[in-house]
Amino acid sequence: MKTDFNAANTIRRPVSGAQAPPLVREEPIRSTSATQIVLPPTAIVYCQGNFAKIDGKTANGLVRHSEAYRILSVIDSDHDGEDSGLVLDGTVNHIPVFSSLDAAVAHEAEIPNAFIYGMAPSTGRLSSTDRDVVLDAISLGMNIVSGLHEYLSDDPEIASFAAERKVTIRDIRKPKPSKDMRLFDGSIAGVKALRIAVLGTDCAIGKRTTATVLARALNARGIKTVLVGTGQTGLMQGAKYGVAMDAVPPQFCCGELEGAIVDASEAEQPDVILIEGQGALSHPAFCTSAFILRGSQPDAVILQHAPKRAHRCDFPNMPMPKPASEIALIETFADTKVIGVTLNHEGMSEAEITDTIAAQSQILGLPVTDVLSRPASHLIAMVVAAYPGLHQSTPVAAI
């Protein structure tokens, strides 16, 4: 880890290929004498029957944070007429929820630029009902953004109709050809920035949210930080560096992630690089955490845990692990250390959150906080306590 940090301004290297942030289409430009500000494309997020639930994590994440798109509304008839921020976090965000695509479009003065499929079902595939809605969006001239394992750009009917209507299909998880993929070569050792991976005890538990909040908070303190995305939602939100790890052949997973981190380091010269976690190292259904630990070789790990979650997502016969066992596994598997624990407070009262923070901190001997219900300063303190040499200066924009 470096202790003499600098804040050099360098050129960003964007994610390439199907995962690249979208080009702006037919958006107004506000001009000043010094610069031009181009607004990101507008988008409606489809999350029928799943908003504020585990399988709606893509929509949940986009409502909380999005740099690549201006989120106008969410589609979920279960919450028709409600404010999505109130539904999700109890705070008004003025992004309404509608019962249908027609209702969402009717609310806008112009047809939105994009239709985002905001669900992450375990099957990774499109249902017949959802297919009809996607086709309806294409008929309206909306570009399609999908994070499914099923590539809509390879679907003959959808692709043909999109071509006819002259709209684009952005398959976030569609990898580049294997001939263009990168093998791990050890160049990660030359990265000077402090690398922190945000891992968890399960999938869909809040790792990306914690990483996003931490990146914002560190940058606000003048600690230049880059977040490297590893999943479809992070890339949809606008992560400029990263790769959808679960869509890459295992042989190239470590190398592709290493390459994204090296690119971020060379282009940005950050103090800290945060790596978004996926799945859980102990989860037998997923191997992504292992690749993240190998490819990023993090100096430290922050562990996300949901104390009231009884079993793993989609696996009712698989009990959740304890944080202590996950920490032991991580620190045995990789040359790293867990510097703190963050909570997902699903199903918890305010009193339970307070008691759990105190109890887990005592049991684990580590700082513990809840990212969404406690001040971001607690998260900053967790990092600075482990690395007091981090220099704080002028606040910088999140990357």
Side-chain angles (χ1 to χ4, degrees):
M1 171 198 166
K2 64 176 182 177
T3 54
D4 183 17
F5 296 103
N6 61 69
N9 291 319
T10 52
I11 299 172
R12 293 179 176 179
R13 297 183 183 177
V15 176
S16 61
Q19 300 165 356
L23 296 175
V24 175
R25 175 175 67 82
E26 297 178 355
E27 280 297 314
I29 297 176
R30 297 198 300 255
S31 299
T32 68
S33 58
T35 186
Q36 287 186 334
I37 300 174
V38 180
L39 298 176
T42 56
I44 290 173
V45 184
Y46 179 73
C47 195
Q48 176 54 38
N50 284 286
F51 185 61
K53 296 179 182 177
I54 288 174
D55 281 355
K57 67 176 185 178
T58 296
N60 302 342
L62 288 167
V63 162
R64 286 182 174 129
H65 172 75
S66 178
E67 296 177 9
Y69 298 95
R70 282 189 290 138
I71 307 302
L72 301 177
S73 60
V74 175
I75 298 171
D76 184 350
S77 60
D78 290 350
H79 296 286
D80 183 31
E82 299 182 62
D83 180 276
S84 62
L86 278 176
V87 174
L88 189 62
D89 296 317
T91 303
V92 173
N93 65 4
H94 303 292
I95 298 175
V97 184
F98 294 103
S99 62
S100 67
L101 176 61
D102 287 343
V105 170
H107 185 258
E108 306 302 329
E110 298 180 352
I111 300 294
N113 300 126
F115 172 94
I116 301 176
Y117 188 86
M119 293 179 283
S122 57
T123 62
R125 302 184 66 82
L126 197 67
S127 72
S128 59
T129 299
D130 295 347
R131 167 183 285 271
D132 290 340
V133 181
V134 170
L135 291 170
D136 287 343
I138 293 173
S139 73
L140 293 171
M142 299 174 70
N143 294 320
I144 305 301
V145 183
S146 170
L148 294 169
H149 284 294
E150 174 186 17
Y151 306 138
L152 302 188
S153 58
D154 290 343
D155 182 289
E157 180 186 20
I158 292 175
S160 175
F161 193 36
E164 177 186 323
R165 296 292 298 166
K166 295 181 172 56
V167 302
T168 62
I169 298 175
R170 185 184 174 209
D171 282 311
I172 303 297
R173 274 188 167 126
K174 192 172 188 177
K176 57 191 175 185
S178 59
K179 65 181 180 62
D180 297 326
M181 290 185 182
R182 185 185 189 282
L183 289 168
F184 184 86
D185 62 14
S187 56
I188 193 75
V191 173
K192 295 180 179 180
L194 172 67
R195 300 187 299 281
I196 303 176
V198 181
L199 304 183
T201 53
D202 196 10
C203 60
I205 203 168
K207 299 180 286 289
R208 185 197 64 258
T209 297
T210 289
T212 301
V213 172
L214 179 55
R216 281 177 174 173
L218 287 169
N219 278 304
R221 294 291 185 93
I223 300 171
K224 189 173 182 181
T225 302
V226 176
L227 172 57
V228 173
T230 59
Q232 75 274 16
T233 306
L235 296 172
M236 283 185 194
Q237 288 176 320
K240 293 179 173 60
Y241 304 91
V243 58
M245 295 282 288
D246 60 1
V248 176
Q251 182 178 4
F252 300 104
C253 276
C254 294
E256 283 291 294
L257 179 57
E258 179 187 43
I261 293 170
V262 169
D263 282 351
S265 173
E266 291 177 350
E268 307 294 344
Q269 295 294 303
D271 303 325
V272 177
I273 295 176
L274 297 178
I275 302 96
E276 175 196 5
Q278 297 293 323
L281 186 60
S282 63
H283 202 310
F286 307 105
C287 57
T288 334
S289 288
F291 293 128
I292 288 171
L293 285 167
R294 291 293 192 232
S296 69
Q297 307 216 345
D299 300 288
V301 169
I302 292 172
L303 184 70
Q304 181 90 4
H305 178 63
K308 295 294 284 289
R309 190 177 291 189
H311 59 80
R312 312 262 200 178
C313 291
D314 301 317
F315 295 88
N317 297 320
M318 193 181 294
M320 283 284 290
K322 300 290 186 184
S325 66
E326 195 74 25
I327 290 169
L329 180 60
I330 290 168
E331 294 183 342
T332 300
F333 183 83
D335 183 15
T336 191
K337 62 179 180 179
V338 175
I339 61 171
V341 172
T342 49
L343 303 182
N344 176 327
H345 60 248
E346 60 186 35
M348 299 177 71
S349 67
E350 177 62 30
E352 287 176 319
I353 297 171
T354 299
D355 291 346
T356 301
I357 288 174
Q360 288 297 317
S361 181
Q362 177 82 18
I363 292 168
L364 300 172
L366 292 170
V368 179
T369 189
D370 183 304
V371 172
L372 294 179
S373 71
R374 297 297 183 269
S377 58
H378 295 188
L379 196 54
I380 292 287
M382 180 185 293
V383 175
V384 174
Y387 296 97
L390 281 172
H391 177 66
Q392 300 183 31
S393 57
T394 305
V396 296
I399 300 170

